[in-house]
Amino acid sequence: MTALKQYDRLEASGLWRANADDQRREVVVSLGDATLTISDLRDVALTHWSLAALERANPGQFPAIYHPDGDPGETLELSEDATVMLDAIERLRRVIDRRRPKPGRLRLVLTLSAAAVVAALAFVWLPGALLHHTVTVIPDVKRTEIGEVLLSRITRISGQACADRAAQPALQALSLRLLDTPDRLVVLPGGVRETAHLPGGTILLNRALVEDFEDADVPAGYIVAEALRADRQDPLEALLRSAGFWSSLRLLTRGELTPETLDAQAERILTAPPAPLPDAEMIAAFTKAKLRTAPYAYARDVSGESVLGLIEADPYPTGSDTSVLSDSNWIRLQTICGN
């Protein structure tokens, strides 16, 4: 039987030589299950070739020349007329080749699998790592620049910042009292709900906080609370986290953000509700600022029910020995947006 079931016996004539120095001789080639048998004309076997180790020296050319793998000196030539034998040999070689182990394919699969794992890790890890690195290396001057650009976009909606000349010293005094620097507070005529913060440390206040209350401790409390929010999450980190991976990469490599990114962040600042703060952290911040919590708490909830913790744990229930502003400065500050 042959390796191909449709043939009981398959033979063809050919020319064979044992090595490169021998003369070619006419032989009979028989196809078996796993071997190619080469016999002389008296049917005496001269050699057996393993089909798995059979190589063709001249693919597509005739006469077809075959040799054992690794021994090109021993050859078998089959003429183009031996169509059936040639077709059978080539079919068997293709079948055997498909069954051979493919180390290169395995390497490719392993390489692609490793690349997929690396890509998955990069997808999960790289954005956060890049964001953290960017936030760490961006200098304060660039943060301030970004904050100023955001403020310019915010004021297109809110209106220009209130800047009555007579009230500016009072605003600077309030900033120095609560934030240790005289230039971090901006009062807006609208837009921002109550307070908001920008990269670089600027805190925005709605004019109602300085106009609608009799006690300077109220706007002071809102400022301390907003400064605490900025301390809990870096405003630049919040911006980049919202904007995405490419914004972090652009800021890190080119030192800038797109106008679309800045516009979207300005809109978020104006519309996002203030992040809630734990009472314990609030009380600690008010204590450090030598500021009462009760006026701020009642400004948030007149009934006091939702802010009872801040009222009962007021660090200065009878008042702090350090006033927020002098009476004259408080009166000036209340007119910072004009009459």
Side-chain angles (χ1 to χ4, degrees), residues 232-266:
R232 297 185 88 223
Q233 182 179 33
D234 188 319
L236 180 60
E237 178 183 351
L239 186 161
L240 295 177
R241 194 174 295 280
S242 299
F245 172 83
W246 295 110
S247 292
S248 296
L249 185 62
R250 184 184 183 94
L251 181 60
L252 184 63
T253 57
R254 301 179 60 177
E256 63 181 18
L257 296 168
T258 64
E260 293 77 14
T261 297
L262 293 167
D263 287 339
Q265 182 62 16

Side-chain angles (χ1 to χ4, degrees), residues 57-58 134 149 156 173 186 199 339:
N58 60 343
T134 304
V149 175
R156 294 175 188 172
V186 174
N339 296 327

Side-chain angles (χ1 to χ4, degrees), residues 150-168:
L150 284 172
L151 179 59
S152 69
R153 281 164 162 74
I154 289 171
T155 54
R156 294 175 188 172
I157 300 171
S158 68
Q160 290 301 310
C162 299
D164 183 85
R165 184 175 300 177
Q168 283 302 310

Side-chain angles (χ1 to χ4, degrees), residues 25 34 173 223 232 234 271 301 303:
R25 57 190 292 187
I223 293 167
R232 297 185 88 223
D234 188 319
T271 58
D301 181 356
S303 70

Side-chain angles (χ1 to χ4, degrees), residues 59 67 111 117 209 213 263:
H67 63 83
T111 300
V117 171
L209 293 180
F213 299 97
D263 287 339

Side-chain angles (χ1 to χ4, degrees), residues 259-303:
E260 293 77 14
T261 297
L262 293 167
D263 287 339
Q265 182 62 16
E267 183 178 349
R268 279 190 289 269
I269 289 172
L270 293 176
T271 58
L277 297 168
D279 284 356
E281 292 185 26
M282 291 274 288
I283 293 166
F286 274 67
T287 302
K288 182 179 179 181
K290 297 183 178 180
L291 187 67
R292 293 179 295 158
T293 56
Y296 165 75
Y298 281 117
R300 284 178 48 191
D301 181 356
V302 176
S303 70

